[in-house]
Amino acid sequence: MPTTSLPNGPIAAKQATDPHHAVWTLLEGVTDPEIPVVSLREMGVLRAVREGADGVLEVVITPTYSGCPAMEQMGDDVRAALAQAGLTARVVTQLAPAWSTEWMTPEGREKLRAYGIAPPPVGTGSACGHSVVQFATRNLAKSVRQTVACPQCGSENTTEISHFGSTACKALYKCLDCFEPFDYFKPY
Ligand SMILES: [Zn+2]
């Protein structure tokens, strides 16, 4: 059986030429249990659709972080969406490489913002690899980009209230211009 290597980055919407195009389209309706406006593909959680060695359809997902309580829910949602179309699939959880906010698509980040959650800036996550240069660049980017823009009014005059917001992946921020509190999805 050929080894499937998964792309290490955001996964674009699949073209009609993809043999599993219909499956990708069905799965476009499966959203993140914690952020119902963003699909699993846009989150970068949905990694691949393939045929397993035994011919069974496999859907590969990588959880946003290990121990994420939403993980089982995601697997159930994927199976349910496919079952509605008469398809049986095995959900394969792949933990390596670890999920990163780098895998979020631009549409996903925009939907987060529209939903009221400040998205992580591109280039601040850990999926860029672990070379020294990339680490240095990332840390530099982090120190330069301390400001988190308010998703409501766009102001960068914001402050962190709590490093852990509604979930461990988010920090709670407050805008000092419009005074609205908001979640910031931390780079990971
Ligand atoms: Zn604001």
Side-chain angles (χ1 to χ4, degrees), residues 59-134:
V59 174
V60 184
I61 56 178
T62 297
T64 49
Y65 60 100
S66 65
C68 186
M71 200 55 218
E72 255 179 69
Q73 182 71 46
M74 290 180 192
D76 288 348
D77 290 352
V78 164
R79 277 186 293 268
L82 296 179
Q84 274 190 351
L87 295 171
T88 307
R90 177 164 51 224
V91 175
V92 178
T93 303
Q94 180 170 289
L95 298 175
W99 179 85
S100 162
T101 47
E102 286 307 296
W103 293 359
M104 286 185 185
T105 66
E107 313 96 275
R109 288 170 205 262
E110 205 38 59
K111 285 181 182 177
L112 270 187
R113 198 193 318 278
Y115 188 59
I117 298 173
V122 176
T124 53
S126 60
C128 319
H130 296 287
S131 76
V132 175
V133 172
Q134 281 164 330

Side-chain angles (χ1 to χ4, degrees), residues 150-175:
C150 167
Q152 315 290 341
C153 71
S155 167
E156 290 187 348
N157 188 16
T158 59
T159 187
E160 185 180 276
I161 296 172
S162 164
H163 198 57
F164 295 98
S166 57
T167 66
C169 8
K170 303 186 203 91
L172 185 62
Y173 269 68
K174 184 179 180 162
C175 177

Side-chain angles (χ1 to χ4, degrees), residues 122-148:
V122 176
T124 53
S126 60
C128 319
H130 296 287
S131 76
V132 175
V133 172
Q134 281 164 330
F135 252 124
T137 312
R138 183 157 54 88
N139 288 338
L140 179 65
K142 263 183 187 165
S143 59
V144 169
R145 306 195 56 156
Q146 284 291 323
T147 52
V148 175

